[in-house]
Amino acid sequence: EVQLVESGGGLVQPGGSLRLSCAASGFTFSSYEMNWVRQAPGKGLEWVAYIGSDGGPIYYADSVKGRFTISRDNANSSLYLQMNTLRAEDTAVYYCARLRAFDYWGQGTLVTVSS
Amino acid sequence: DIQMTQSPFSLSASIGDTVTITCRASQSISTFLNWYQQKPGKAPKLLIYAASSLQSGVPSRFSGSASGTDFTLTISSVQPEDFATYYCQQSYITPGFTFGQGTRLEIK
């Protein structure tokens, strides 16, 4: 059974940093491209970042470019999102999702940016 | 960037009705269009990929179609568990796997 489990969310002050993790199981992680998608409270879905199966190519939404870094560890079936210089508008539930048609999603982890 | 315009913003339906949700792309995306269902507090679920292919395990009352840059999600004979928010998403152009604004399906 395919499973994606996010962790690392929490409360952080504006300007702070946070690192999200996504642990994958039930499939050959190294063969699949992965994404981060977020959803602000009461709002719609926003794609955040993409990474190819072997670590490249990498793409970001304009809203996070230069502040967020997506990476992966295929040996440990894990996906990461390093988030720096966080802003209030980054407050959202962050999901990891597989493929470009996001066929599997994690349960999400809440990031709250507030002083 | 490709814009995805989804309509209506919300709609009301009764059990057994057939409902249609539309998504229009700002430029050609071939058939790289996916539909998701999201219930409150849950992650989205893939229903339709490549405009008209039914994801495994999804009931056959869900269907998708395409005509140029216009895409349609149809739910035939709406069931109680179908009341949710639906999103379209283009997976044609990187970067930017753009989502539509969402359509909330409510019970009448």
Side-chain angles (χ1 to χ4, degrees):
Chain A
E1 178 194 5
V2 172
Q3 281 201 315
L4 298 170
V5 179
E6 301 94 339
S7 60
L11 174 64
V12 61
Q13 292 189 338
S17 298
L18 214 52
R19 189 195 196 205
L20 306 183
S21 300
C22 171
S25 60
F27 65 102
T28 305
F29 181 74
S30 60
S31 297
Y32 288 83
E33 49 200 349
M34 297 294 296
N35 299 268
W36 287 98
V37 179
R38 69 183 180 183
Q39 187 170 36
K43 302 298 184 182
L45 299 166
E46 179 188 17
W47 168 80
V48 171
Y50 162 96
I51 187 167
S53 60
D54 60 358
I58 288 176
Y59 304 115
Y60 298 99
D62 287 345
S63 58
V64 307
K65 200 174 297 182
R67 300 187 298 122
F68 289 12
T69 301
I70 188 173
S71 62
R72 64 190 297 159
D73 179 349
N74 284 344
N76 290 299
S77 298
S78 293
L79 177 72
Y80 304 102
L81 186 68
Q82 177 66 43
M83 305 186 295
N84 297 332
T85 319
L86 283 161
R87 305 166 179 167
E89 54 265 35
D90 295 318
T91 294
V93 174
Y94 285 74
Y95 298 98
C96 58
R98 196 178 77 163
L99 292 178
R100 299 184 185 206
F102 309 133
D103 63 341
Y104 284 94
W105 300 62
Q107 85 289 350
T109 188
L110 176 63
V111 172
T112 303
V113 184
S114 174
S115 54
Chain B
D1 288 3
I2 297 177
Q3 308 302 317
M4 306 301 297
T5 304
Q6 192 173 335
S7 61
F9 176 75
S10 66
L11 74 159
S12 298
S14 300
I15 303 301
D17 284 354
T18 293
V19 301
T20 298
I21 299 169
T22 298
C23 191
R24 173 169 289 174
S26 60
Q27 64 186 74
S28 175
I29 58 170
S30 185
T31 57
F32 289 86
L33 191 284
N34 312 301
W35 290 99
Y36 302 87
Q37 175 194 67
Q38 187 179 32
K39 296 182 179 179
K42 300 294 186 181
K45 172 187 174 184
L46 178 65
L47 300 174
I48 301 286
Y49 64 94
S52 60
S53 295
L54 192 67
Q55 175 69 351
S56 176
V58 174
S60 59
R61 63 180 179 274
F62 291 92
S63 64
S65 64
S67 177
T69 58
D70 291 338
F71 301 86
T72 299
L73 172 70
T74 300
I75 311 172
S76 304
S77 187
V78 170
Q79 299 300 299
E81 61 268 29
D82 299 338
F83 293 97
T85 300
Y86 293 85
Y87 294 92
C88 63
Q89 175 243 344
Q90 67 85 11
S91 54
Y92 180 68
I93 289 286
T94 55
F97 299 128
T98 329
F99 288 93
Q101 302 93 322
T103 296
R104 185 175 179 182
L105 175 59
E106 300 174 320
I107 190 165
K108 186 181 289 183

CSV table of all heavy atoms in Angstrom, one decimal, chain B residues 22-79:
chain,number,residue,atom,x,y,z
B,22,THR,N,-16.9,22.7,-15.0
B,22,THR,CA,-16.1,23.0,-16.2
B,22,THR,C,-14.8,23.7,-15.8
B,22,THR,O,-14.8,24.5,-14.8
B,22,THR,CB,-16.9,24.0,-17.1
B,22,THR,OG1,-18.1,23.3,-17.5
B,22,THR,CG2,-16.1,24.4,-18.3
B,23,CYS,N,-13.8,23.4,-16.5
B,23,CYS,CA,-12.5,24.0,-16.3
B,23,CYS,C,-11.9,24.5,-17.7
B,23,CYS,O,-12.0,23.7,-18.6
B,23,CYS,CB,-11.5,23.0,-15.7
B,23,CYS,SG,-10.0,23.7,-15.1
B,24,ARG,N,-11.5,25.7,-17.8
B,24,ARG,CA,-11.0,26.2,-19.1
B,24,ARG,C,-9.5,26.6,-18.9
B,24,ARG,O,-9.2,27.4,-17.9
B,24,ARG,CB,-11.8,27.4,-19.5
B,24,ARG,CG,-11.2,28.1,-20.8
B,24,ARG,CD,-12.2,29.1,-21.4
B,24,ARG,NE,-13.3,28.4,-22.0
B,24,ARG,CZ,-14.4,29.1,-22.5
B,24,ARG,NH1,-14.5,30.4,-22.4
B,24,ARG,NH2,-15.3,28.4,-23.1
B,25,ALA,N,-8.7,26.2,-19.8
B,25,ALA,CA,-7.2,26.5,-19.7
B,25,ALA,C,-7.0,27.8,-20.6
B,25,ALA,O,-7.6,28.0,-21.6
B,25,ALA,CB,-6.4,25.4,-20.2
B,26,SER,N,-6.0,28.6,-20.2
B,26,SER,CA,-5.7,29.8,-20.9
B,26,SER,C,-5.0,29.6,-22.2
B,26,SER,O,-4.8,30.5,-23.0
B,26,SER,CB,-5.0,30.8,-20.0
B,26,SER,OG,-3.7,30.2,-19.6
B,27,GLN,N,-4.4,28.4,-22.3
B,27,GLN,CA,-3.8,28.0,-23.6
B,27,GLN,C,-3.9,26.5,-23.7
B,27,GLN,O,-4.3,25.8,-22.8
B,27,GLN,CB,-2.3,28.4,-23.6
B,27,GLN,CG,-1.5,27.8,-22.6
B,27,GLN,CD,-0.1,28.4,-22.5
B,27,GLN,OE1,0.1,29.5,-22.0
B,27,GLN,NE2,0.9,27.6,-23.0
B,28,SER,N,-3.5,25.9,-24.8
B,28,SER,CA,-3.6,24.5,-25.0
B,28,SER,C,-2.7,23.7,-24.0
B,28,SER,O,-1.6,24.1,-23.7
B,28,SER,CB,-3.1,24.1,-26.4
B,28,SER,OG,-3.0,22.7,-26.6
B,29,ILE,N,-3.3,22.7,-23.4
B,29,ILE,CA,-2.6,21.8,-22.5
B,29,ILE,C,-2.8,20.4,-23.0
B,29,ILE,O,-2.7,19.4,-22.2
B,29,ILE,CB,-3.1,22.0,-21.0
B,29,ILE,CG1,-4.6,21.8,-20.9
B,29,ILE,CG2,-2.7,23.4,-20.5
B,29,ILE,CD1,-5.1,21.7,-19.5
B,30,SER,N,-3.2,20.2,-24.2
B,30,SER,CA,-3.5,18.8,-24.7
B,30,SER,C,-4.5,18.2,-23.8
B,30,SER,O,-5.5,18.8,-23.5
B,30,SER,CB,-2.2,18.0,-24.8
B,30,SER,OG,-2.4,16.8,-25.4
B,31,THR,N,-4.3,17.0,-23.3
B,31,THR,CA,-5.2,16.4,-22.4
B,31,THR,C,-4.6,16.2,-21.0
B,31,THR,O,-4.9,15.3,-20.2
B,31,THR,CB,-5.7,15.1,-22.9
B,31,THR,OG1,-4.6,14.2,-23.1
B,31,THR,CG2,-6.5,15.2,-24.2
B,32,PHE,N,-3.6,17.1,-20.7
B,32,PHE,CA,-2.9,17.0,-19.4
B,32,PHE,C,-3.7,17.7,-18.3
B,32,PHE,O,-3.3,18.7,-17.7
B,32,PHE,CB,-1.5,17.6,-19.5
B,32,PHE,CG,-0.6,16.8,-20.3
B,32,PHE,CD1,-0.5,16.9,-21.7
B,32,PHE,CD2,0.3,15.9,-19.7
B,32,PHE,CE1,0.4,16.1,-22.4
B,32,PHE,CE2,1.2,15.1,-20.4
B,32,PHE,CZ,1.2,15.2,-21.8
B,33,LEU,N,-4.9,17.2,-18.0
B,33,LEU,CA,-5.8,17.8,-17.1
B,33,LEU,C,-6.3,16.7,-16.2
B,33,LEU,O,-6.7,15.6,-16.6
B,33,LEU,CB,-7.0,18.4,-17.9
B,33,LEU,CG,-8.0,19.3,-17.2
B,33,LEU,CD1,-9.0,18.5,-16.3
B,33,LEU,CD2,-7.3,20.4,-16.3
B,34,ASN,N,-6.3,17.0,-14.9
B,34,ASN,CA,-6.7,16.1,-13.8
B,34,ASN,C,-7.7,16.7,-12.9
B,34,ASN,O,-7.8,17.9,-12.8
B,34,ASN,CB,-5.4,15.7,-13.0
B,34,ASN,CG,-4.2,15.4,-13.9
B,34,ASN,OD1,-4.3,14.5,-14.7
B,34,ASN,ND2,-3.2,16.2,-13.7
B,35,TRP,N,-8.6,15.9,-12.4
B,35,TRP,CA,-9.6,16.3,-11.4
B,35,TRP,C,-9.5,15.6,-10.1
B,35,TRP,O,-9.1,14.4,-10.0
B,35,TRP,CB,-11.0,15.9,-12.0
B,35,TRP,CG,-11.4,16.7,-13.2
B,35,TRP,CD1,-11.3,16.3,-14.5
B,35,TRP,CD2,-12.0,18.0,-13.2
B,35,TRP,NE1,-11.8,17.2,-15.3
B,35,TRP,CE2,-12.3,18.3,-14.6
B,35,TRP,CE3,-12.4,18.9,-12.3
B,35,TRP,CZ2,-12.9,19.5,-15.0
B,35,TRP,CZ3,-13.0,20.1,-12.6
B,35,TRP,CH2,-13.3,20.4,-14.0
B,36,TYR,N,-9.7,16.4,-9.0
B,36,TYR,CA,-9.5,15.9,-7.7
B,36,TYR,C,-10.8,16.2,-6.9
B,36,TYR,O,-11.5,17.2,-7.1
B,36,TYR,CB,-8.4,16.6,-7.0
B,36,TYR,CG,-7.1,16.4,-7.7
B,36,TYR,CD1,-6.7,17.3,-8.7
B,36,TYR,CD2,-6.2,15.4,-7.3
B,36,TYR,CE1,-5.5,17.1,-9.4
B,36,TYR,CE2,-5.0,15.2,-8.0
B,36,TYR,CZ,-4.7,16.0,-9.0
B,36,TYR,OH,-3.5,15.8,-9.7
B,37,GLN,N,-11.1,15.4,-5.9
B,37,GLN,CA,-12.1,15.6,-4.9
B,37,GLN,C,-11.5,15.8,-3.6
B,37,GLN,O,-10.6,15.1,-3.2
B,37,GLN,CB,-13.0,14.4,-4.9
B,37,GLN,CG,-14.1,14.4,-3.8
B,37,GLN,CD,-14.8,13.1,-3.6
B,37,GLN,OE1,-14.1,12.1,-3.1
B,37,GLN,NE2,-16.0,12.9,-4.0
B,38,GLN,N,-12.0,16.8,-2.8
B,38,GLN,CA,-11.5,17.0,-1.5
B,38,GLN,C,-12.6,17.2,-0.5
B,38,GLN,O,-13.5,18.1,-0.7
B,38,GLN,CB,-10.5,18.3,-1.4
B,38,GLN,CG,-9.9,18.4,0.0
B,38,GLN,CD,-8.9,19.6,0.1
B,38,GLN,OE1,-9.1,20.6,-0.6
B,38,GLN,NE2,-7.9,19.5,0.9
B,39,LYS,N,-12.6,16.5,0.6
B,39,LYS,CA,-13.5,16.6,1.7
B,39,LYS,C,-12.9,17.4,2.8
B,39,LYS,O,-11.6,17.3,2.9
B,39,LYS,CB,-14.0,15.2,2.1
B,39,LYS,CG,-14.8,14.5,1.0
B,39,LYS,CD,-15.3,13.2,1.4
B,39,LYS,CE,-16.1,12.6,0.2
B,39,LYS,NZ,-16.7,11.2,0.5
B,40,PRO,N,-13.7,18.0,3.7
B,40,PRO,CA,-13.1,18.9,4.7
B,40,PRO,C,-12.1,18.1,5.6
B,40,PRO,O,-12.4,17.0,6.1
B,40,PRO,CB,-14.3,19.3,5.5
B,40,PRO,CG,-15.4,19.3,4.5
B,40,PRO,CD,-15.1,18.1,3.6
B,41,GLY,N,-11.0,18.7,5.8
B,41,GLY,CA,-10.0,18.1,6.7
B,41,GLY,C,-9.2,16.9,6.1
B,41,GLY,O,-8.4,16.3,6.8
B,42,LYS,N,-9.4,16.7,4.8
B,42,LYS,CA,-8.8,15.5,4.2
B,42,LYS,C,-7.9,16.0,3.0
B,42,LYS,O,-8.1,17.1,2.5
B,42,LYS,CB,-9.8,14.5,3.7
B,42,LYS,CG,-10.7,13.9,4.8
B,42,LYS,CD,-9.9,13.1,5.7
B,42,LYS,CE,-10.8,12.4,6.7
B,42,LYS,NZ,-10.1,11.5,7.7
B,43,ALA,N,-7.0,15.1,2.7
B,43,ALA,CA,-6.2,15.4,1.5
B,43,ALA,C,-7.0,15.2,0.2
B,43,ALA,O,-8.0,14.4,0.2
B,43,ALA,CB,-5.0,14.4,1.4
B,44,PRO,N,-6.7,15.9,-0.8
B,44,PRO,CA,-7.4,15.7,-2.1
B,44,PRO,C,-7.2,14.2,-2.6
B,44,PRO,O,-6.2,13.6,-2.3
B,44,PRO,CB,-6.7,16.7,-3.1
B,44,PRO,CG,-6.2,17.7,-2.2
B,44,PRO,CD,-5.7,17.0,-1.0
B,45,LYS,N,-8.1,13.8,-3.4
B,45,LYS,CA,-8.1,12.5,-4.0
B,45,LYS,C,-8.2,12.6,-5.5
B,45,LYS,O,-9.1,13.3,-6.0
B,45,LYS,CB,-9.3,11.7,-3.5
B,45,LYS,CG,-9.5,10.3,-4.1
B,45,LYS,CD,-10.8,9.7,-3.6
B,45,LYS,CE,-11.1,8.4,-4.3
B,45,LYS,NZ,-12.5,7.8,-3.8
B,46,LEU,N,-7.3,11.9,-6.2
B,46,LEU,CA,-7.4,11.9,-7.7
B,46,LEU,C,-8.6,11.1,-8.2
B,46,LEU,O,-8.7,10.0,-7.9
B,46,LEU,CB,-6.1,11.4,-8.3
B,46,LEU,CG,-6.0,11.3,-9.8
B,46,LEU,CD1,-6.0,12.7,-10.4
B,46,LEU,CD2,-4.7,10.5,-10.2
B,47,LEU,N,-9.4,11.8,-9.1
B,47,LEU,CA,-10.6,11.1,-9.7
B,47,LEU,C,-10.3,10.7,-11.1
B,47,LEU,O,-10.6,9.6,-11.5
B,47,LEU,CB,-11.8,12.0,-9.6
B,47,LEU,CG,-12.3,12.5,-8.3
B,47,LEU,CD1,-13.4,13.5,-8.5
B,47,LEU,CD2,-12.7,11.3,-7.4
B,48,ILE,N,-9.9,11.7,-11.9
B,48,ILE,CA,-9.7,11.6,-13.3
B,48,ILE,C,-8.3,12.1,-13.7
B,48,ILE,O,-7.9,13.2,-13.2
B,48,ILE,CB,-10.8,12.4,-14.1
B,48,ILE,CG1,-12.2,12.0,-13.7
B,48,ILE,CG2,-10.5,12.4,-15.6
B,48,ILE,CD1,-12.6,10.7,-14.3
B,49,TYR,N,-7.6,11.4,-14.5
B,49,TYR,CA,-6.3,11.9,-15.0
B,49,TYR,C,-6.3,11.9,-16.5
B,49,TYR,O,-7.1,11.2,-17.2
B,49,TYR,CB,-5.1,11.1,-14.5
B,49,TYR,CG,-5.1,9.7,-14.9
B,49,TYR,CD1,-4.4,9.2,-16.0
B,49,TYR,CD2,-5.8,8.7,-14.1
B,49,TYR,CE1,-4.4,7.9,-16.3
B,49,TYR,CE2,-5.8,7.4,-14.5
B,49,TYR,CZ,-5.1,7.0,-15.6
B,49,TYR,OH,-5.1,5.7,-16.0
B,50,ALA,N,-5.5,12.7,-17.1
B,50,ALA,CA,-5.4,12.8,-18.6
B,50,ALA,C,-6.8,13.1,-19.2
B,50,ALA,O,-7.2,12.4,-20.2
B,50,ALA,CB,-4.8,11.5,-19.2
B,51,ALA,N,-7.5,13.9,-18.6
B,51,ALA,CA,-8.8,14.5,-19.0
B,51,ALA,C,-10.0,13.5,-18.9
B,51,ALA,O,-11.1,13.9,-18.5
B,51,ALA,CB,-8.7,15.0,-20.4
B,52,SER,N,-9.7,12.2,-19.2
B,52,SER,CA,-10.9,11.3,-19.2
B,52,SER,C,-10.6,9.9,-18.7
B,52,SER,O,-11.5,9.1,-18.8
B,52,SER,CB,-11.3,11.2,-20.7
B,52,SER,OG,-10.3,10.7,-21.5
B,53,SER,N,-9.4,9.7,-18.1
B,53,SER,CA,-9.1,8.3,-17.6
B,53,SER,C,-9.5,8.3,-16.1
B,53,SER,O,-9.1,9.1,-15.3
B,53,SER,CB,-7.6,8.0,-17.8
B,53,SER,OG,-7.3,8.0,-19.1
B,54,LEU,N,-10.3,7.3,-15.8
B,54,LEU,CA,-10.8,7.1,-14.4
B,54,LEU,C,-9.7,6.5,-13.5
B,54,LEU,O,-9.1,5.4,-13.9
B,54,LEU,CB,-12.0,6.2,-14.4
B,54,LEU,CG,-12.8,6.1,-13.2
B,54,LEU,CD1,-13.5,7.5,-12.9
B,54,LEU,CD2,-13.9,5.1,-13.3
B,55,GLN,N,-9.3,7.1,-12.4
B,55,GLN,CA,-8.3,6.6,-11.5
B,55,GLN,C,-8.9,5.3,-10.9
B,55,GLN,O,-10.1,5.1,-10.7
B,55,GLN,CB,-8.0,7.6,-10.4
B,55,GLN,CG,-7.1,7.1,-9.3
B,55,GLN,CD,-5.6,6.9,-9.8
B,55,GLN,OE1,-5.4,6.9,-11.0
B,55,GLN,NE2,-4.7,6.7,-8.8
B,56,SER,N,-8.0,4.3,-10.7
B,56,SER,CA,-8.4,3.1,-10.1
B,56,SER,C,-9.2,3.3,-8.8
B,56,SER,O,-8.8,4.0,-7.9
B,56,SER,CB,-7.2,2.2,-9.8
B,56,SER,OG,-7.5,1.0,-9.2
B,57,GLY,N,-10.3,2.5,-8.7
B,57,GLY,CA,-11.1,2.6,-7.4
B,57,GLY,C,-12.1,3.7,-7.4
B,57,GLY,O,-12.9,3.7,-6.5
B,58,VAL,N,-12.1,4.6,-8.4
B,58,VAL,CA,-13.1,5.7,-8.4
B,58,VAL,C,-14.4,5.2,-9.1
B,58,VAL,O,-14.3,4.5,-10.2
B,58,VAL,CB,-12.5,6.9,-9.2
B,58,VAL,CG1,-13.6,8.0,-9.3
B,58,VAL,CG2,-11.3,7.4,-8.4
B,59,PRO,N,-15.5,5.4,-8.5
B,59,PRO,CA,-16.8,5.0,-9.1
B,59,PRO,C,-17.0,5.5,-10.5
B,59,PRO,O,-16.6,6.6,-10.9
B,59,PRO,CB,-17.9,5.5,-8.2
B,59,PRO,CG,-17.2,5.8,-6.9
B,59,PRO,CD,-15.8,6.1,-7.2
B,60,SER,N,-17.6,4.7,-11.3
B,60,SER,CA,-17.8,5.0,-12.8
B,60,SER,C,-18.8,6.1,-13.0
B,60,SER,O,-19.0,6.6,-14.1
B,60,SER,CB,-18.3,3.7,-13.5
B,60,SER,OG,-19.5,3.2,-13.0
B,61,ARG,N,-19.5,6.6,-12.0
B,61,ARG,CA,-20.4,7.7,-12.2
B,61,ARG,C,-19.6,9.0,-12.4
B,61,ARG,O,-20.2,10.0,-12.8
B,61,ARG,CB,-21.3,7.9,-11.0
B,61,ARG,CG,-20.7,8.2,-9.6
B,61,ARG,CD,-21.7,8.3,-8.5
B,61,ARG,NE,-21.2,8.6,-7.2
B,61,ARG,CZ,-20.7,7.7,-6.4
B,61,ARG,NH1,-20.9,6.4,-6.7
B,61,ARG,NH2,-20.2,8.0,-5.2
B,62,PHE,N,-18.3,9.0,-12.1
B,62,PHE,CA,-17.4,10.1,-12.4
B,62,PHE,C,-16.9,9.9,-13.8
B,62,PHE,O,-16.4,8.9,-14.2
B,62,PHE,CB,-16.3,10.2,-11.4
B,62,PHE,CG,-16.7,10.6,-10.0
B,62,PHE,CD1,-17.0,9.6,-9.1
B,62,PHE,CD2,-16.8,11.9,-9.7
B,62,PHE,CE1,-17.4,10.0,-7.8
B,62,PHE,CE2,-17.2,12.3,-8.4
B,62,PHE,CZ,-17.5,11.3,-7.5
B,63,SER,N,-16.9,11.0,-14.6
B,63,SER,CA,-16.3,10.9,-16.0
B,63,SER,C,-15.8,12.3,-16.3
B,63,SER,O,-16.2,13.3,-15.8
B,63,SER,CB,-17.4,10.5,-17.0
B,63,SER,OG,-18.4,11.4,-17.1
B,64,GLY,N,-14.8,12.3,-17.2
B,64,GLY,CA,-14.2,13.5,-17.7
B,64,GLY,C,-14.2,13.6,-19.2
B,64,GLY,O,-14.1,12.5,-19.9
B,65,SER,N,-14.2,14.8,-19.7
B,65,SER,CA,-14.1,15.0,-21.2
B,65,SER,C,-13.4,16.2,-21.5
B,65,SER,O,-13.2,17.1,-20.6
B,65,SER,CB,-15.5,15.0,-21.8
B,65,SER,OG,-16.3,16.1,-21.4
B,66,ALA,N,-13.0,16.3,-22.8
B,66,ALA,CA,-12.2,17.5,-23.2
B,66,ALA,C,-12.6,17.9,-24.6
B,66,ALA,O,-13.0,17.1,-25.4
B,66,ALA,CB,-10.7,17.1,-23.2
B,67,SER,N,-12.6,19.3,-24.8
B,67,SER,CA,-12.9,19.9,-26.1
B,67,SER,C,-12.0,21.1,-26.2
B,67,SER,O,-12.3,22.1,-25.6
B,67,SER,CB,-14.3,20.2,-26.2
B,67,SER,OG,-14.6,20.8,-27.5
B,68,GLY,N,-10.9,21.0,-26.9
B,68,GLY,CA,-9.9,22.1,-27.0
B,68,GLY,C,-9.4,22.4,-25.7
B,68,GLY,O,-8.7,21.5,-25.0
B,69,THR,N,-9.6,23.6,-25.2
B,69,THR,CA,-9.1,24.0,-23.9
B,69,THR,C,-10.2,24.0,-22.8
B,69,THR,O,-9.9,24.5,-21.7
B,69,THR,CB,-8.5,25.5,-24.0
B,69,THR,OG1,-9.5,26.3,-24.4
B,69,THR,CG2,-7.3,25.5,-24.9
B,70,ASP,N,-11.3,23.4,-23.1
B,70,ASP,CA,-12.4,23.2,-22.2
B,70,ASP,C,-12.5,21.8,-21.7
B,70,ASP,O,-12.5,20.9,-22.5
B,70,ASP,CB,-13.7,23.7,-22.8
B,70,ASP,CG,-13.8,25.2,-23.1
B,70,ASP,OD1,-13.0,25.9,-22.4
B,70,ASP,OD2,-14.6,25.6,-23.9
B,71,PHE,N,-12.6,21.6,-20.4
B,71,PHE,CA,-12.6,20.3,-19.8
B,71,PHE,C,-13.8,20.2,-18.9
B,71,PHE,O,-14.2,21.2,-18.2
B,71,PHE,CB,-11.3,20.1,-19.0
B,71,PHE,CG,-10.1,20.1,-19.9
B,71,PHE,CD1,-9.5,21.4,-20.1
B,71,PHE,CD2,-9.6,19.0,-20.5
B,71,PHE,CE1,-8.4,21.4,-20.9
B,71,PHE,CE2,-8.5,19.1,-21.3
B,71,PHE,CZ,-7.9,20.3,-21.5
B,72,THR,N,-14.4,19.1,-18.8
B,72,THR,CA,-15.6,18.9,-18.0
B,72,THR,C,-15.5,17.7,-17.1
B,72,THR,O,-15.1,16.6,-17.6
B,72,THR,CB,-16.9,18.7,-18.9
B,72,THR,OG1,-17.0,19.9,-19.7
B,72,THR,CG2,-18.1,18.5,-18.1
B,73,LEU,N,-15.9,17.8,-15.9
B,73,LEU,CA,-16.1,16.7,-15.0
B,73,LEU,C,-17.6,16.5,-14.8
B,73,LEU,O,-18.3,17.5,-14.5
B,73,LEU,CB,-15.5,17.0,-13.6
B,73,LEU,CG,-15.8,16.0,-12.5
B,73,LEU,CD1,-15.0,14.7,-12.8
B,73,LEU,CD2,-15.3,16.5,-11.1
B,74,THR,N,-18.1,15.3,-15.0
B,74,THR,CA,-19.5,15.0,-14.8
B,74,THR,C,-19.7,13.9,-13.8
B,74,THR,O,-18.9,12.9,-13.8
B,74,THR,CB,-20.1,14.5,-16.2
B,74,THR,OG1,-20.0,15.5,-17.2
B,74,THR,CG2,-21.6,14.2,-16.0
B,75,ILE,N,-20.6,14.2,-12.9
B,75,ILE,CA,-21.0,13.2,-11.9
B,75,ILE,C,-22.4,12.8,-12.2
B,75,ILE,O,-23.3,13.6,-12.1
B,75,ILE,CB,-20.9,13.8,-10.4
B,75,ILE,CG1,-19.5,14.5,-10.2
B,75,ILE,CG2,-21.1,12.6,-9.4
B,75,ILE,CD1,-19.4,15.2,-8.9
B,76,SER,N,-22.6,11.6,-12.6
B,76,SER,CA,-23.9,11.1,-12.9
B,76,SER,C,-24.5,10.4,-11.6
B,76,SER,O,-23.9,9.6,-11.0
B,76,SER,CB,-23.9,10.0,-14.0
B,76,SER,OG,-23.2,10.5,-15.1
B,77,SER,N,-25.8,10.8,-11.4
B,77,SER,CA,-26.5,10.3,-10.2
B,77,SER,C,-25.7,10.5,-8.9
B,77,SER,O,-25.1,9.6,-8.3
B,77,SER,CB,-26.8,8.8,-10.3
B,77,SER,OG,-27.6,8.3,-9.3
B,78,VAL,N,-25.6,11.8,-8.5
B,78,VAL,CA,-24.8,12.2,-7.3
B,78,VAL,C,-25.3,11.4,-6.1
B,78,VAL,O,-26.5,11.3,-5.8
B,78,VAL,CB,-25.0,13.7,-7.1
B,78,VAL,CG1,-24.4,14.1,-5.8
B,78,VAL,CG2,-24.4,14.5,-8.2
B,79,GLN,N,-24.3,11.0,-5.3
B,79,GLN,CA,-24.5,10.2,-4.1
B,79,GLN,C,-24.1,11.1,-2.9
B,79,GLN,O,-23.4,12.1,-3.0
B,79,GLN,CB,-23.7,8.9,-4.1
B,79,GLN,CG,-24.1,8.0,-5.3
B,79,GLN,CD,-25.5,7.6,-5.2
B,79,GLN,OE1,-26.0,7.0,-4.2
B,79,GLN,NE2,-26.3,7.9,-6.2
